[in-house]
Amino acid sequence: MAPDLKKPSSSVSILGLGYVGLCTAATFASRGIRTIGIDIDEARIEQIRRGRAPVHEPQLGEMLKRVVKKKLLDATSDVSRATDTNTSFLTVGTPSQPDGSIDLTYVKQATRELGKALQKKQSYHLVVVKSTVIPGTTNGTVNPVLEQSSGKVVGPSLGLCANPEFLKEGTAINDALHPDKIVIGSNDKKSADQLTRLYREFYGSRLPPVITSSPETAELVKYASNAFLATKVSFINTIANIAQHIPGVDVNRVADAIGHDPRIGHLFLKAGPGYGGSCFHKDVQALVSYSQQQGYDPQLLKAIEKTNEDQAIQVVELVEKLAGPLDQKRIAILGLAFKKDTDDIREAPSIRVIDRLRNKGARLVGYDPMAMPNFESVFGNTIELAKSSHDVLKGGDCAIVMTEWDEFRRLKAKDYIAQMRKPVLVDARRIYNPAEFRELKFAGIGFGSEPLGPGSQAEPS
Ligand code: UDX
């Protein structure tokens, strides 16, 4: 019988079922590629085997349920199951160390376990480093650990590639299904070809541009990408902080105008309280630390981080400007997550702002549609938490929009006036049109006070 050409022949194993690993595993399986997810956390495995997502990510839950039911995805703690597949992805975490450099403990552990399992395997096996690692890690760390533990030599029977991911929280599934590029770093053609073939099976005619390079280049691409995006955010926040001093200027208009220049582009030019999340801060820090180890002091990168940290000062200054001294003032924090549609509070600007407000003696009450359980588990009852976006405003002396949730966009000036002791609002995410909030004492990141220009054009973008 002729082989069914449409049926994927590849099978993959994913080591590390954290955020990236799980989204990667689910999307591979969703394209009919037999996938084995491997993790040391038994409780997590049990959850995944029942088709439940242990992290919040739109579309992930339904996708998991579907692929587990169809037996395209299985989860296990048994690393030896990786040998039943022809490609293994390392997607374990690379957490920050106090000096900003990354901790490779999990990468080494997972590589060692995988290598041991591969000892007896006869046929070719490809190992792919998807974890975010500094240039030189795939060749300098993963390669020797893999060779030692497997007793094989990387090359003819054992492949090794670096293949960074660019998933965004909240849109990770869509990003994995429609990436703008695939970056494959390899030392030999055989491994790069096998990985390209796998992605061709995955994407079919929609295969995005595949950029092949050395592993070191691929590793640097990931850092350069996140550092550049962080640069755009700190840049527009700098312009916003200047704009704030110029009556009639609105940073959103400036961003829109400069974005028309294709050399600049519109994306990632939204001024706000600073970037957060699990990647930007961690990756810029790691790049700074790596660069310094090489003997080059990357001043631009350090300024990007400092600008971001200090953006919390700008938010608190706006609060003080409007509400006066903060001691004993009741301040409502609308949003704790680092961006909307996620329950993730890692490096969230809300935490930096809360910290400063507490130091100034303010009494804080927070609300977030999704991130309150995470906030509570890290910060306990350091601040009061409210039940709803109306509740959080009750008796407040000032409210600050820290996350751009749609739920907050629906609040009108009258809602603030009805609930607050003093209707004072700082829109740190620029979700509101200032013209509609004239009855309140209102300030936003990046626009000068009156006059706002023809027809009060300051707008949320
Ligand atoms: C980021 C990268 O986008 C992704 O490619 C990488 O794989 C992981 O890191 P993520 O952390 O999920 O993804 O969030 P992202 O949507 O990029 O936003 C990061 C932060 O920047 C958020 O706090 C967001 O609010 C902020 N941001 C983003 C701005 O303040 N202004 C903007 O214009 C864009």
Side-chain angles (χ1 to χ4, degrees):
M1 206 167 85
D4 179 356
L5 293 176
K6 279 189 195 138
K7 203 169 170 199
S9 58
S10 295
S11 53
V12 299
S13 42
I14 315 280
L15 279 83
L17 297 177
Y19 189 80
V20 170
L22 197 53
C23 290
T24 307
T27 45
F28 268 123
S30 78
R31 304 310 284 249
I33 294 168
R34 204 167 49 79
T35 304
I36 296 174
I38 300 168
D39 201 288
I40 50 174
D41 183 340
E42 296 283 359
R44 181 169 279 249
I45 287 164
E46 209 31 61
Q47 231 179 324
I48 297 166
R49 296 189 85 161
R50 279 198 233 117
R52 291 210 198 116
V55 292
H56 173 80
E57 179 60 37
Q59 298 183 52
L60 177 63
E62 303 118 65
M63 191 176 259
L64 269 184
K65 218 171 278 163
R66 237 184 5 255
V67 294
V68 167
K69 198 169 165 203
K70 284 188 178 166
K71 299 198 179 333
L72 285 163
L73 173 69
D74 192 13
T76 176
S77 58
D78 179 5
V79 185
S80 72
R81 297 270 312 274
T83 57
D84 300 340
T85 68
N86 41 35
T87 304
S88 294
F89 288 84
L90 295 174
T91 52
V92 291
T94 51
S96 291
Q97 307 199 92
D99 66 353
S101 63
I102 54 166
D103 181 351
L104 291 176
T105 307
Y106 302 124
V107 171
K108 287 186 204 160
Q109 249 168 29
T111 306
R112 201 171 298 120
E113 293 307 311
L114 178 62
K116 279 191 223 157
L118 292 172
Q119 276 173 5
K120 292 189 209 102
K121 186 168 176 180
Q122 302 292 328
S123 55
Y124 185 78
H125 196 92
L126 175 62
V127 178
V128 183
V129 181
K130 211 175 233 321
S131 302
T132 299
V133 291
I134 51 146
T137 306
T138 301
N139 276 339
T141 302
V142 177
N143 185 319
V145 174
L146 191 61
E147 287 192 338
Q148 205 199 14
S149 53
S150 66
K152 296 174 185 227
V153 177
V154 168
S157 67
L158 187 59
L160 182 60
C161 286
N163 171 224
E165 56 75 29
F166 305 95
L167 309 179
K168 297 185 289 297
E169 284 187 34
T171 56
I173 297 295
N174 195 49
D175 293 344
L177 294 175
H178 309 282
D180 47 35
K181 64 190 168 298
I182 290 168
V183 182
I184 296 177
S186 73
N187 296 308
D188 64 349
K189 193 169 169 326
K190 188 171 180 180
S191 58
D193 283 352
Q194 173 153 327
L195 193 51
T196 308
R197 245 187 340 265
L198 173 63
Y199 281 123
R200 199 166 283 131
E201 272 181 27
F202 188 118
Y203 294 107
S205 59
R206 291 194 181 158
L207 182 73
V210 176
I211 295 139
T212 50
S213 67
S214 68
E216 291 76 14
T217 299
E219 290 162 333
L220 187 56
V221 166
K222 169 73 185 198
Y223 284 100
S225 177
N226 274 349
F228 187 74
L229 293 171
T231 308
K232 286 189 96 171
V233 176
S234 276
F235 170 80
I236 201 65
N237 284 342
T238 300
I239 299 298
N241 299 342
I242 297 169
Q244 241 151 250
H245 297 282
I246 317 171
V249 168
D250 178 0
V251 72
N252 286 349
R253 296 261 145 182
V254 177
D256 180 42
I258 64 173
H260 281 284
D261 183 333
R263 293 170 301 174
I264 296 174
H266 282 104
L267 301 177
F268 271 73
L269 286 182
K270 184 76 200 288
Y275 55 77
S278 63
C279 289
F280 283 3
H281 168 69
K282 171 180 172 279
D283 291 353
V284 177
Q285 286 293 331
L287 191 54
V288 169
S289 160
Y290 172 71
S291 177
Q292 284 173 336
Q293 278 168 22
Q294 309 307 307
Y296 173 68
D297 190 29
Q299 303 208 34
L300 174 66
L301 300 180
K302 292 198 299 196
I304 290 157
E305 273 283 279
K306 175 90 171 90
T307 304
N308 193 57
E309 285 287 310
D310 287 356
Q311 200 60 8
I313 302 175
Q314 297 290 326
V315 176
V316 173
E317 275 179 6
L318 280 180
V319 175
E320 280 175 318
K321 198 168 137 193
L322 260 52
L326 296 179
D327 193 32
Q328 293 308 309
K329 290 268 164 67
R330 185 173 167 88
I331 313 282
I333 311 288
L334 281 81
L336 301 166
F338 82 97
K339 64 178 186 180
K340 72 168 184 172
D341 297 335
T342 174
D343 62 356
D344 197 342
I345 57 158
R346 283 176 291 176
E347 302 299 331
S350 64
I351 296 167
R352 297 188 283 275
V353 167
I354 285 172
D355 203 37
R356 288 187 173 274
L357 293 171
R358 285 185 70 215
N359 287 340
K360 288 179 180 275
R363 292 183 296 124
L364 304 178
V365 50
Y367 169 72
D368 190 287
M370 222 178 252
M372 291 200 293
N374 277 343
F375 186 87
E376 247 181 327
S377 69
V378 180
F379 297 101
N381 56 2
T382 43
I383 75 166
E384 188 185 324
L385 293 174
K387 289 193 176 64
S388 70
S389 52
H390 286 263
D391 203 29
V392 73
L393 302 175
K394 277 188 185 143
D397 295 297
C398 180
I400 317 172
V401 177
M402 286 303 304
T403 313
E404 70 283 21
W405 286 102
D406 292 344
E407 185 176 332
F408 302 151
R409 283 180 202 273
R410 288 194 286 270
L411 292 172
K412 302 273 182 271
K414 63 176 173 42
D415 299 314
Y416 286 91
I417 293 166
Q419 302 289 351
M420 296 180 73
R421 200 172 76 84
K422 286 191 179 152
V424 176
L425 174 59
V426 171
D427 182 2
R429 288 287 186 170
R430 295 298 307 274
I431 63 172
Y432 298 126
N433 181 350
E436 291 170 14
F437 283 77
R438 288 194 191 285
E439 297 155 80
L440 272 74
K441 259 192 172 177
F442 180 93
I445 289 285
F447 73 88
S449 48
E450 300 287 337
L452 289 170
S456 296
Q457 287 176 341
E459 277 172 5
S461 58

